[in-house]
Amino acid sequence: MDNPITIPVLLDLTQAASVTSYGIFSLSRFEGSSITDTLLEAAAELFSNHYGIWGQGAASKVGPFAKAGWRVKISAARLRAEYLPQSENAQNVYVKAMMGETLVGHAFATRWEYEGRTVCWITQLVVATPHRSKGNATQLLFKVRNSGYLDLGCGILSSHPFAIKAATRAFGVGLTKADLSMTREHARSIMSCCPVGYIREAKCKGSLFEDGQTNSGVVSCANTGFYVDHTEPLEALEIIKREGISWPLGTLPDGCEFLIFVKIGSSIISPPRSATVMETRNCQIDKVLSSNA
């Protein structure tokens, strides 16, 4: 058998296929009516198996089904009803990541018009546990961004710091240079006209919004009433801090999610490392090049 060769191949993330260090990682984008029930059933299964678990006290806040330690679950019907608004003003997109025949990640987003410009909001971002911390969430969001729209910016609500980091990389200039002025000046008004109900109804909190919480450590988040356990997100936050990145959004109260609205600039950072093939075999390179021809 031939020895592996080393050929750096940088892939265009607007294409349908990209490569990670562990195999072929394909991305597909669906919009509007092309988001079928079959796609949503697979998405619901991924979410229910990998999103997170309910936190302490969730049952008393949300209902008896939200028992601490139990996985947060969702149905395909609820995904369609709550994450794919049918408003004439809403443009919905779903991006999925496949590893062979296995769904390993997805992103839902909705676009709508705000003050004469299109804005984008990431409404759900999930990556299967074994495939996290490899840049795959950023690749998913690059695919959302490259949909042909001239967005003013992109917002996201998430309790997971890796999701926030991915959004700032895909739509902005990265977490280290994140500018919170757009969040401070526009997040409330943008969210108030969002076609997605849970975003429209979320209440902004933190010192960024001058809500009197200057001494609590809360900088930018929103109360969504989503009492997910914060153990894993806090571990992710420590990883980010060990990378030398100063976390800009402060602490996270129970029932809240971090909030950021990223203004899209004239240029974006390079695709994540997992989109670069450094060591692979001829057959894998041939597959990639032919799929991107």
Side-chain angles (χ1 to χ4, degrees), residues 48 54 108 120 150 182 248:
S48 299
W54 291 110
F108 286 88
C120 178
L150 297 177
M182 285 289 289

Side-chain angles (χ1 to χ4, degrees), residues 120-151:
C120 178
W121 203 282
I122 306 302
T123 55
Q124 190 179 105
L125 177 63
V126 181
V127 175
T129 305
H131 301 284
R132 294 175 183 170
S133 303
K134 297 179 174 70
N136 295 328
T138 306
Q139 292 188 50
L140 282 161
L141 298 188
F142 266 119
K143 192 73 172 177
V144 171
R145 172 175 175 164
N146 294 325
S147 300
Y149 295 92
L150 297 177
D151 298 322

Side-chain angles (χ1 to χ4, degrees), residues 9-198:
V9 180
L10 189 61
L11 299 176
D12 181 359
L13 290 177
T14 64
Q15 301 297 320
S18 59
V19 171
T20 67
S21 59
Y22 46 84
I24 301 298
F25 182 86
S26 64
L27 297 172
S28 301
R29 183 174 59 241
F30 304 84
E31 299 186 27
S33 60
S34 66
I35 306 174
T36 64
D37 290 343
T38 300
L39 290 173
L40 294 182
E41 288 168 4
E45 182 177 1
L46 178 73
F47 178 97
S48 299
N49 290 333
H50 293 280
Y51 182 80
I53 60 175
W54 291 110
Q56 296 293 331
S60 63
K61 301 285 187 179
V62 182
F65 62 88
K67 186 176 180 180
W70 285 12
R71 284 217 162 267
V72 181
K73 294 184 179 294
I74 199 168
S75 66
R78 185 180 166 199
L79 274 177
R80 185 171 295 283
E82 298 185 11
Y83 291 82
L84 299 174
Q86 299 305 302
S87 166
E88 293 182 359
N89 189 34
Q91 298 163 329
N92 302 311
V93 60
Y94 168 68
V95 174
K96 69 174 184 176
M98 301 292 292
M99 184 67 67
E101 299 298 319
T102 303
L103 179 65
V104 297
H106 72 225
F108 286 88
T110 295
R111 287 181 167 90
W112 71 98
E113 189 173 294
Y114 168 76
E115 294 187 350
R117 293 287 300 276
T118 300
V119 295
C120 178
W121 203 282
I122 306 302
T123 55
Q124 190 179 105
L125 177 63
V126 181
V127 175
T129 305
H131 301 284
R132 294 175 183 170
S133 303
K134 297 179 174 70
N136 295 328
T138 306
Q139 292 188 50
L140 282 161
L141 298 188
F142 266 119
K143 192 73 172 177
V144 171
R145 172 175 175 164
N146 294 325
S147 300
Y149 295 92
L150 297 177
D151 298 322
L152 169 66
C154 179
I156 185 171
L157 281 167
S158 178
S159 61
H160 208 299
F162 284 169
I164 301 295
K165 183 181 179 182
T168 61
R169 286 175 59 84
F171 287 88
V173 292
L175 195 56
T176 56
K177 297 181 180 180
D179 181 358
L180 298 184
S181 61
M182 285 289 289
T183 307
R184 180 181 61 250
E185 296 167 11
H186 296 284
R188 276 177 167 156
S189 54
I190 288 173
M191 292 165 65
S192 69
C193 63
C194 178
V196 180
Y198 88 89

